[in-house]
Amino acid sequence: MKKITLFPEISAFINSLDVSTISEKRKKTLQPLIDFVQSKVSNQETVAINFICTHNSRRSHLSQVWAQTIAYSLHISNVICYSGGTEATAMFPMAAKTLENSGFQIQTLSEGKNPVYAIKYAENAHPIIGFSKRLDDDFNPKTDFAAIMTCNSANEACPLVLGAEKRIPITFEDPKAFDNTPQQAEKYHERSVQIATELLYVFSQLKKEHE
């Protein structure tokens, strides 16, 4: 098994998360994703998850990055996480900064209206490529994936996600409401913590076949 070499600050962040704060109601919301991932792990199949929001600018990126990172940290192989939107805009700088503040190494690969970022979480892992894109972009999977609807507007706008094996609404409040306010950094951090905590719960519930 390859050595897990999460950056120490990220490892400390994950270790600080408290899954006992998740309500029973929320656990029921998360259960379909647990079931999807479990079925793939049990059959030794690739676990492809596309996190979808309206603009692919905040919540979907935070979800993609934390899911990929936590799966890696828990030795769950063959997990590939994606993100997309009902439209493409740009990954909001505060979302990238929030991840950076949690220990991710972020490099800007290209600038412009829709910057492209390399988001690295471990020494020996390939960086996540973060940029805003439509959910059906060629960068994303076309079949055999779970579509996770991370915002209500995308959930309502996309009753059907073509190619998705499962469509699962797991929505989060939008930190955008606090943009350009004194609470901006705090609220982005708060949402990032929630997303990471819930995804840690999801992946920690898996039963590996050799256990």
Side-chain angles (χ1 to χ4, degrees):
M1 182 179 291
K2 63 184 178 181
K3 184 180 179 182
I4 299 300
T5 52
L6 277 183
F7 294 133
E9 193 174 347
I10 299 175
S11 183
F13 183 100
I14 292 173
N15 288 336
S16 75
L17 300 174
D18 184 2
V19 297
S20 71
T21 61
I22 302 172
S23 69
E24 290 303 315
K25 181 179 179 181
R26 190 66 175 173
K27 286 179 180 178
K28 289 180 181 178
T29 299
L30 298 170
Q31 189 62 46
L33 177 55
I34 297 170
D35 294 341
F36 173 82
V37 178
Q38 183 68 68
S39 69
K40 295 295 183 180
V41 169
S42 296
N43 292 319
Q44 298 183 323
E45 297 174 347
T46 297
V47 183
I49 307 172
N50 193 2
F51 294 93
I52 297 168
C53 202
T54 303
H55 299 121
N56 190 209
S57 57
R58 296 169 176 81
R59 290 164 286 180
S60 49
H61 277 114
L62 292 173
S63 299
Q64 174 191 6
V65 170
W66 278 121
Q68 191 72 63
T69 302
I70 289 168
Y72 181 94
S73 75
L74 295 178
H75 303 267
I76 302 166
S77 58
N78 299 322
V79 175
I80 308 176
C81 298
Y82 306 84
S83 66
T86 55
E87 59 184 278
T89 55
M91 183 175 174
F92 192 65
M94 193 64 210
K97 184 65 177 175
T98 300
L99 291 168
E100 191 172 48
N101 289 342
S102 299
F104 291 87
Q105 292 183 3
I106 299 183
Q107 178 183 359
T108 303
L109 300 181
S110 70
E111 299 181 347
K113 292 183 178 180
N114 187 4
V116 179
Y117 301 95
I119 305 166
K120 198 163 186 180
Y121 54 89
E123 292 175 0
N124 297 330
H126 194 280
I128 298 163
I129 305 302
F131 66 99
S132 185
K133 70 201 83 66
R134 282 179 51 87
L135 61 95
D136 57 358
D137 188 274
D138 286 341
F139 206 80
N140 287 339
K142 302 301 181 188
T143 60
D144 303 319
F145 64 95
I148 310 302
M149 317 307 289
T150 64
C151 74
N152 283 323
S153 56
N155 188 37
E156 293 166 2
C158 293
L160 174 68
V161 178
L162 293 177
E165 185 175 334
K166 295 284 185 180
R167 180 191 173 284
I168 305 168
I170 302 177
T171 61
F172 302 96
E173 290 185 17
D174 195 351
K176 180 181 179 179
F178 297 91
D179 287 356
N180 303 312
T181 73
Q183 295 173 283
Q184 178 177 260
E186 173 193 348
K187 291 299 182 179
Y188 273 78
H189 175 74
E190 182 182 290
R191 191 60 56 243
S192 183
V193 168
Q194 180 199 358
I195 289 170
T197 301
E198 294 189 357
L199 289 169
L200 176 61
Y201 172 76
V202 166
F203 286 106
S204 66
Q205 294 302 299
L206 301 179
K207 298 178 177 63
K208 295 179 182 177
E209 294 306 296
H210 62 268
E211 292 180 344

